[in-house]
Every structure is written in C-alpha cells, then in structure tokens.
Amino acid sequence: MINYYCQPMYQPVYYGNLSFINHSPAYVATNHYKSNPSRQYPDVDSTLLEQSAKSMRNIMKEASIVLNKLADSKSFANKVMYAAQHSDMTEVERLIQSTGITSKVKTTFNPDGIMLKLSSSIENVECCHLTISLRWL
C-alpha cells in the first residue's frame, strides 16, 4: 500500500500578536480613506462627464444597430466575413457604415474574428469608446 502525504502549497506565517490591527468598517472609513487635508482639489464640474455619458448612450444605440444587423441578416454577416477574410478593409468599413450608424468606427479583424471600436469626440477630444469583439472561428 502506498501512502501519500500532501503538503499545503504554503505555510502560514505567525507574526505574534496582531490584535492591535483594527479592520472594523468604522476604523477603515475614518482612517484609511481620509482625504489629505494639504491637497486641494478643484471644484467639481461634471459637464464633460455628462456629455461623455450622453455620447456613450448614442454609441451603445449604434452598436445595437450593427449587432442586430449581423445577428439578423445572414447575408450581411456573410458579406462582412468574406470581405474581412479577403483583407478588403474598405468593403468591411463600407458594410459597417451601411447600417446607418454615424459614430466613428475603427475595424480590425484576424482569422478568429472581428473587432469594432466605436468612438465619439467632444471638442476634438475622444470622450468615450465602446469595443465590440466578435468571434467567427
């Protein structure tokens, strides 16, 4: 009869009495997350955040349009995949734009699938983007 003894992957280390460490929620809230009183933060202006959220909402609607077209139209999906497999980037981009979306789209593909990055800008600065990765192999 063979007897196997399994040792733990790590050995606990005892550092003595650590009862002085207090990890209660009240301690953490009052001591670990206090702001640095010497650091001054600018006043909060959520305008850009709100604009980014509105732009993202639009991007998500347009992403749904593309996804619905790919999911519901076998001929459209075949055309996109065929163009990508033949490295016809112009045709892939034309097909994606033919869905009626207005967002800026950067398309990349490889033998495994396709990636669409929809983005939006506010005052010529990219404020938000959504990346969709779809597999076909």
Side-chain angles (χ1 to χ4, degrees), residues 59-74:
I59 288 174
M60 291 179 70
K61 286 178 187 174
E62 293 195 340
S64 291
I65 292 169
V66 174
L67 292 173
N68 288 337
K69 184 75 170 180
L70 287 167
D72 298 338
S73 174
K74 188 168 184 72

Side-chain angles (χ1 to χ4, degrees), residues 66-85 95-96 114 134 136:
V66 174
L67 292 173
N68 288 337
K69 184 75 170 180
L70 287 167
D72 298 338
S73 174
K74 188 168 184 72
S75 66
F76 181 77
N78 282 338
K79 288 176 186 176
V80 170
M81 191 171 173
Y82 181 85
Q85 286 180 338
L95 288 165
I96 298 301
I114 188 167
L134 302 170
W136 54 49

Side-chain angles (χ1 to χ4, degrees), residues 6 14-15 20 26 29 33 37 49 58 61 67 79 100 108 112 121 126 132 136:
C6 295
Y14 179 70
Y15 291 106
F20 63 89
Y33 300 106
L49 177 59
N58 186 48
K61 286 178 187 174
L67 292 173
K79 288 176 186 176
T108 57
D112 294 333
S121 297
E126 185 179 276
I132 302 168
W136 54 49

Side-chain angles (χ1 to χ4, degrees), residues 33-72:
Y33 300 106
K34 283 186 179 178
S35 62
N36 185 346
S38 64
R39 181 162 180 172
Q40 297 296 315
Y41 294 97
D43 291 337
V44 172
D45 181 6
S46 63
T47 304
L48 182 58
L49 177 59
E50 293 167 15
Q51 291 172 342
S52 294
K54 288 175 184 174
S55 292
M56 180 57 81
R57 188 168 41 196
N58 186 48
I59 288 174
M60 291 179 70
K61 286 178 187 174
E62 293 195 340
S64 291
I65 292 169
V66 174
L67 292 173
N68 288 337
K69 184 75 170 180
L70 287 167
D72 298 338

